[in-house]
């Protein structure tokens, strides 16, 4: 059934395949009165654009967004915003061979099993290009959040075994280099590692961190639409993510309550937490601290080494994948994580507006 | 807004607080014709029942389920199934003090921020008792899955630093002991560790694994309702879970494609994967291998040590929590993970029935 | 699949059959801070209670509501509100015969076709008792609306051919008499007509009007969740309703634009409409005028005359229905229409809170 | 919030305004394996195209559909189908004056109230052009239904007081003439009436009937997603519809049970109803008879007579609307009613597939 819609109040529906005519998204439920132009969207799309790095597929795509509806005189009208990005560099020839077999680590086999057949060109709907719609929509969510003073920031924390050091944290650096790491030295080490991977015809994984700042306390809808639950879904729905964590994440399983609990304190008249092991979420609701999450990405499955697999006729075969593929998806995925986080946080922020009778009364008597 | 409903076709709505009159769940969308009685549900509830272990709260609750609708002559009718469990051991006195301050690691502060006030008795809706509804509904989902030959099995993999060894894997053991670990020796070591924690007035965390066997390939709805995305939401919505992983999980970030890819092979005429780093999911769709997921639980926040916090008047204070609290939530959470997994898998299994025109035609000409 | 949930933000899930243990509803998404007690609910339930009129089934049910969750110290907490009403007068014996055949005008045949079998006692889930959950939930919606100054009022407009006259409109009368008609003379004529129907072992239909006053302009979410579209679904989902209309309703098809258009005028500095052919809705959005809708009810299908039908063995047979049945459903349905209208209006009122960026900013800086 | 999505399994999201760059729809949840090309869609769009009749706006639009995704080698892939129709004839000049005042009978005022401002060109999102997305999506639904042997057919039953006679019923005629009436003589009388209306600078309304044939019994999901409830929402969400009815509709309110009940009979071994007052729906579930519904359309509000209204500065003014407007919307709305009916029926047909455990088991062992 339909699975291409995300969100409840601020709702997006993405569409499009790697080698179809275009990729796009419809954003429904965007409030009226937000100044919005194509440049706001393009800025985000450019961050995930292929061809801009030696570690990204050499496929060249302009990925220019076209805003088709929902805007009048530079402002959102409250009606659905449709955005379209044409596919311009579809070398289907590269993919024709793929039709006959199942690439390891890809969704070829599972799509065939689910739908009876598949669009085999470039992964079709399971291609990374599917995330274009998410990023375009996320750009709008991020802009609306920023109007409320809330910022969402993602970056690469590690590639393979190479971790950034928070001592040298420099977000500008992350936006400039080819790894997305906010640490110049770590980024250089990661580049060396990635070149080694490429020489071995291999690929690498990594971790993306995302932080949400200035989110008010109270966001998240127990017991199923908790902030962390909805973020988990949002992030795990990105292809290649195999694990998700908030705050101290997997480490909590070996911690004790005495060290894992964050004590509350009064600071300049406001309630704060002294530490933030919880990653800004208690009982599925934001607690006013920074929200911190992590997405763990697997290595790109398209490697150029010889691999064993089966073909559609049910025979064991050896294959060697050709084409244009990223040796690592992480740097380009940073903005996707940011987009999905912004979409989730905004949707729950809007959902929270109906939580108290008093506030509803005030709203309707403004 | 409403956040107490989970699922799309097989949909559950839970309700109830720790110290209200009752806890319950409505299961809507259960197909007609499933043999079902209270014993089917009670079996699951008994696995999360408090008071059965030295590591669980000593609060005694019968947690007896009452089936109120949707069953006729021992069989589901296709109409909503309402289940109710009375709260019988509500010692509100234990909790009266809590009203005035915010317990570290709990949802007291965030509920106050969201709703303007809260039911402070025993955590209200953020209490672990909220999971009773999930388990009761999960029991039905598991029974329906078993009719289709699909099994869902969870157990404790680690408590603190103590890990089970797969060499000594014994599921019967897990159902028998007080840790939920399917390894007798590891369980004994974990018991020693937990007693130490209790002596230090501290608490511990751990990891629960869940495995789904015999799930056909093709289950999961790209691109947002992917099998792993929906499982992530299901599991992260359980209180105290701070990280979620499928297959090799966080380890994929340091792996290479050449080792992380699972090769397909023909085995007795069937397509299988030689390895299962992917945890049975490719492109968000089940691949016919075992689905493997992990939930990382934080230590119980209710510890008996002195802690610093603030009260509702905005003053820094020291507190010492009293009452009946689990030093570890993991053993009782095993069945909750199992329940949420069963609910998610079943819902997507039903969603998948409309994926091919040919199969719809066959269905309506049966 | 699941069809027992109504609403998006203020969401209700009803459950229960005519002859099961109980009937109930879970209201999820009710804002925190509403004073609420069982008497608030009971007041509504008493208006649909059987046994209070010679034109209603003589089945005696207390229909006493039990509030099980979501309330703390007399106030809603923002968590789900579960309400339960025990069935106490289940004379299943009356219904045993029904198991073998399909009653004309009832859902016996369609339930069998859909689910493979049915709970044949008293119609099971298709019984009018199913509306108890709607009314209990509607009582909460109506109370919350009244806090915002919005009132929802339904009454009987016609029974058979007998219409009320708006000149003699008296709402108190409608709440007092056995027809629900706000016109004493019309009500007396209707009583005579209904007695005739009963003597002929026949049944009658009628029309219920519902009016919403003081609803602000701007409520309704184009293009599918329009105010009139959602009201239509709400009202048509009530058993026995075969037509729905807003404003001038069916008459618009023979009108001309020049007479059907409502002109806007300034009245004491406010924009009003001089007439209200539109029934308070333009483009699916409330226009600040009174919202007016009509529900057309069919005659009760359970009549005591001999009828032709078929049995489950596929034979033509003659039947004569026994038991306790309303000769007309309309008077008891008035409060059901009111409840469904209140639920729909409230849900869209809450949905509207996110329609403008400026108002969201104001909300979060209150 | 978002209101532009319709359906649960077969889900459509429409977007676009009268005078934006384009209008479109995303269809998500269309099963894989349906042969589909642009001609299948165009055929439906051509039926609602403006400029083809003297009774329709003289605005010329090609309304050519572009299929952007979800199709591979002429077949649906199971992924979202995006369709786009460019607006080519946007004479915004015609509309500039409208910005300053509120047209009677239009959504100008309510959009302003809801969103703070509006796209005043041609009604923006409240324009009849919004239905293009519905019709494009409905074409796919209708094609899929026809694969299952189910047909959906709408036509004009009346215009003003002129009714068709079923004795002269001729569907070919309805598709050929300018009224959509399947009765040549009635259509000629309606043309005379419409010309009179135009001479008086006035407009007219009418009734559209829609019939669904060969729908199996069992379709519809009690208690809220009943077949008639969902159809009511679908049809009432079409601009200008003010009433909705199934079967005998409003007439049931004056009928008696003895005449309104449809008796079941055995006919050639099958269970049928002797009459069809119910319009093919009992208890919200299809009964195997023809489903019959009616949509009552108001006269076009854009009339060329002088009208009283207010402007945005809050002054009473007189206006005279200019531009290109249909004197009646009914003939072009026929295909919109057909589309919305097809979408609703198909969605519920897919939802019904999970109603019985036995059938699910059979499905997964096919």
């Amino acid at each position: 059934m339909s699975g291409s819609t995300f969100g409840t109040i601020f709702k997006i529906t993405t569409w499009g395949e790697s080698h179809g005519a275009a990729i796009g998204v419809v954003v429904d439920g965007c409030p009226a009165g937000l100044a919005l132009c194509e440049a706001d969207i393009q800025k985000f799309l450019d961050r995930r654009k292929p061809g801009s790095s030696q570690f990204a597929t050499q496929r060249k795509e302009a990925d220019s967004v076209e805003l088709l509806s929902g805007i009048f005189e530079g402002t959102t009208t409250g009606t659905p915003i449709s955005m379209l990005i044409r596919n311009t560099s579809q070398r289907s020839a590269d993919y024709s061979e793929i039709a006959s077999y199942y690439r390891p680590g890809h969704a070829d086999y599972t799509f065939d099993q689910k739908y009876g057949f598949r669009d085999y060109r470039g992964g079709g709907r399971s291609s990374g290009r599917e995330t274009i719609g998410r990023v375009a929509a996320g750009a709008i969510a991020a802009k609306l959040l920023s109007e409320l003073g809330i910022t969402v920031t993602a970056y690469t924390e590690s590639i393979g075994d190479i971790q950034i050091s928070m001592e040298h944290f420099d977000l500008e650096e992350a936006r400039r280099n080819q790894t997305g790491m906010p640490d110049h030295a770590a980024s250089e080490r990661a580049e060396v590692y990635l070149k080694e991977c490429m020489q071995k015809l291999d690929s690498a994984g990594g971790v993306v961190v995302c932080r949400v700042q200035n989110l008010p306390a109270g966001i998240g809808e127990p017991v199923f639409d908790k902030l962390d639950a909805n973020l988990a879904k949002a992030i795990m729905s990105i292809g290649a993510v195999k694990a998700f964590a908030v705050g101290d994440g997997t480490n909590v399983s070996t911690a004790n309550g005495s060290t894992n609990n964050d004590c509350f304190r009064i600071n300049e008249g406001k309630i704060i937490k002294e530490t933030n092991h919880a990653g800004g979420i208690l009982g599925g609701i934001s607690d006013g601290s920074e929200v911190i999450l992590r997405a763990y990405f697997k290595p790109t499955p398209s490697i150029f080494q010889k691999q064993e697999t089966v073909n559609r006729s049910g025979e064991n075969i050896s294959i060697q994948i050709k084409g244009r593929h990223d040796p690592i998806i992480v740097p380009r995925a940073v903005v996707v994580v940011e987009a999905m986080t912004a979409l989730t946080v905004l949707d729950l922020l809007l959902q929270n507006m109906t939580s108290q009778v008093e506030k509803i009364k005030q709203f309707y008597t403004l």
Side-chain angles (χ1 to χ4, degrees), chain A:
Chain A
M1 62 178 278
S2 49
S4 297
T5 295
F6 183 81
T8 298
I9 289 185
F10 192 94
K11 188 183 282 188
I12 73 166
T13 302
T14 70
W15 55 269
E17 299 88 32
S18 174
H19 285 64
I23 294 263
V25 63
V26 181
V27 177
D28 195 22
C30 182
L34 180 71
L36 192 72
C37 65
E38 284 167 356
D40 292 319
I41 315 297
Q42 199 60 52
K43 201 167 53 181
F44 267 65
L45 288 177
D46 289 349
R47 285 174 60 197
R48 76 160 293 293
K49 204 164 67 177
S52 54
S53 152
Q54 60 182 314
F55 305 125
T57 169
Q58 295 308 302
R59 173 173 173 171
K60 301 289 179 200
E61 289 278 7
D63 284 352
S64 298
V65 69
E66 201 181 339
L67 258 171
L68 295 170
S69 69
I71 313 285
F72 182 57
E73 298 182 344
T75 307
T76 59
T77 58
T79 62
I81 302 168
S82 177
M83 296 183 280
L84 176 148
I85 295 93
R86 294 271 168 191
N87 289 325
T88 55
S89 172
Q90 309 124 313
R91 285 198 286 163
S92 293
D94 286 346
Y95 297 100
S96 56
E97 192 186 328
I98 297 172
S100 66
Y101 61 75
Y102 300 122
R103 290 171 298 167
H106 276 282
D108 300 345
Y109 176 66
T110 54
F111 264 71
D112 263 16
Q113 288 294 304
K114 183 172 196 69
Y115 298 113
F117 78 114
R118 78 195 127 101
D119 176 355
Y120 50 76
R121 301 163 305 163
R125 182 74 175 148
S126 71
S127 159
R129 279 191 74 71
E130 171 268 320
T131 60
I132 287 177
R134 303 174 182 231
V135 171
I140 300 176
K143 185 157 195 206
L144 186 40
L145 286 173
S146 76
E147 293 270 320
L148 297 163
I150 300 161
T151 57
V152 180
T153 312
Y155 53 83
T156 304
E157 185 179 56
S158 66
I159 286 178
D161 281 323
I162 298 136
Q163 295 258 348
I164 62 163
S165 155
M166 289 306 282
E167 286 169 39
H168 306 114
F169 188 88
D170 175 4
L171 191 61
E172 294 298 306
E173 167 70 24
R175 296 294 176 257
R176 210 162 38 219
N177 66 35
Q178 296 184 12
T179 60
M181 285 178 144
D183 171 344
H184 184 69
S187 182
E188 288 199 327
R189 289 199 306 280
E191 289 199 17
V192 172
Y193 169 67
L194 289 173
K195 282 176 196 160
E196 284 169 14
C197 286
M198 289 170 80
Q199 276 160 4
K200 293 179 188 162
L201 307 180
D202 215 335
S203 63
V207 178
V208 173
V209 171
C210 190
R211 292 165 181 272
V212 185
Q213 284 169 318
N214 298 323
L215 185 66
I219 309 308
E221 301 295 326
V223 295
F224 295 114
D225 292 320
K226 289 176 170 170
L227 178 52
D228 36 3
N230 281 13
L231 285 170
K233 173 170 175 146
I235 300 302
M236 289 293 299
S237 76
I238 303 171
V241 177
K242 300 300 279 185
F244 168 85
V246 291
D248 283 4
T250 58
N251 294 330
V252 300
S253 71
T254 53
N256 293 114
S258 57
T259 52
N260 188 64
N261 281 350
D262 301 307
C263 292
F264 292 103
R265 290 282 87 178
I266 298 295
N267 185 278
E268 300 178 4
K270 285 186 55 182
I271 294 177
I272 58 147
K273 281 155 51 204
E274 278 195 333
T275 50
N276 191 12
H277 300 292
I281 305 173
L282 286 170
I285 301 172
S286 65
D287 64 16
S289 309
E290 192 179 51
V291 172
I292 305 170
L293 64 85
R294 274 174 182 78
Y296 296 80
F297 283 85
K298 73 174 184 180
T300 319
S302 284
I303 55 173
F304 300 116
Q305 292 181 21
K306 201 176 103 174
Q307 295 185 91
E308 306 299 309
T309 191
V310 304
N311 62 20
R312 295 197 67 181
S313 318
E315 295 160 329
N316 288 327
I317 58 168
S318 290
I319 59 162
Q320 212 156 350
I321 291 173
K322 299 187 194 72
R324 306 162 295 180
H325 303 289
D326 299 18
I328 184 165
I329 198 68
V330 171
R332 291 177 61 202
V334 167
V335 70
V336 182
V337 171
E338 208 170 291
M340 292 307 299
T341 302
L343 289 164
T344 307
V345 165
L346 175 59
D347 193 38
L348 286 172
L349 196 97
L350 298 176
Q351 288 186 38
N352 179 59
M353 290 178 70
T354 59
S355 56
Q356 296 183 30
V357 171
E358 256 339 287
K359 292 192 175 174
I360 297 167
K361 279 163 114 169
Q362 283 175 42
F363 181 94
Y364 274 110
T365 52
L366 277 177

